[in-house]
Amino acid sequence: MSRFKRLFAVLAFLGLLLAVFQLSGLRDNFSLAFLHQKFLDNEASGLLIFVALFALGNLIQIPGWIFLAAAVLALGEMWGGLATYLAAVVSCAFTFWLIRLLGGDALRQIKGRWAQRVLARLDARPVASIVVLRMLLQTVPALNYALAMSGVKFRDYMVGTLLGLPLPIALYCVFFDYLARVLKVPGY
């Protein structure tokens, strides 16, 4: 399949997914209050719902901080951070395989000099590059899509993801815990 067909397949799939979420009302479940309540209802099933919604939300551009804030408010700083880390890793793996399936290595086929330089740097140090990208951009969907279509090996992608996510998640946990205390969030 040509690069343009693969890119179109990814865009069409994401557009369709967004439309289904919007029209079905599922998008309403991507709120801080909904996620928080699911954790309070039952931590085990809440965690499964949390991981699934994080993975799907990441595909349709729902910011990860919503999930992190809900987890910290419901589970506390440490357990909320661990739940978010688990969900983020699962989400990144899910996104990688889905986008790789649809888009292949479409970005690798771009002939421009700038694209080739970026890919050469990624090829030279894939894990280190992904660690830095994760520390800066965490689970930003565009990063996940680009890495999936870059031709990077899944092993390098996951090692970089596993090593790059803990620090920013920990910092966000401290931040949301501090905000909850300062704002005297009920039940926290």
Side-chain angles (χ1 to χ4, degrees), residues 93-174:
F94 175 72
T95 301
F96 180 92
W97 284 114
L98 186 62
I99 299 303
R100 175 67 61 92
L101 176 70
L102 294 170
D105 64 351
L107 296 181
R108 179 78 47 193
Q109 299 169 19
I110 295 175
K111 302 297 182 210
R113 273 192 238 158
W114 183 80
Q116 293 303 313
R117 271 195 311 242
V118 168
L119 290 171
R121 287 184 184 163
L122 181 61
D123 292 341
R125 297 187 53 151
V127 173
S129 298
I130 294 169
V131 166
V132 170
L133 289 168
R134 288 291 181 212
M135 291 176 96
L136 296 173
L137 302 171
Q138 293 85 48
T139 62
V140 169
L143 173 62
N144 293 335
Y145 306 156
L147 289 171
M149 292 187 291
S150 72
V152 70
K153 292 178 186 171
F154 180 70
R155 179 182 47 85
D156 293 337
Y157 175 82
M158 284 310 297
V159 170
T161 296
L162 289 167
L163 295 174
L165 285 177
L167 180 62
I169 287 174
L171 292 174
Y172 277 119
C173 284
V174 170

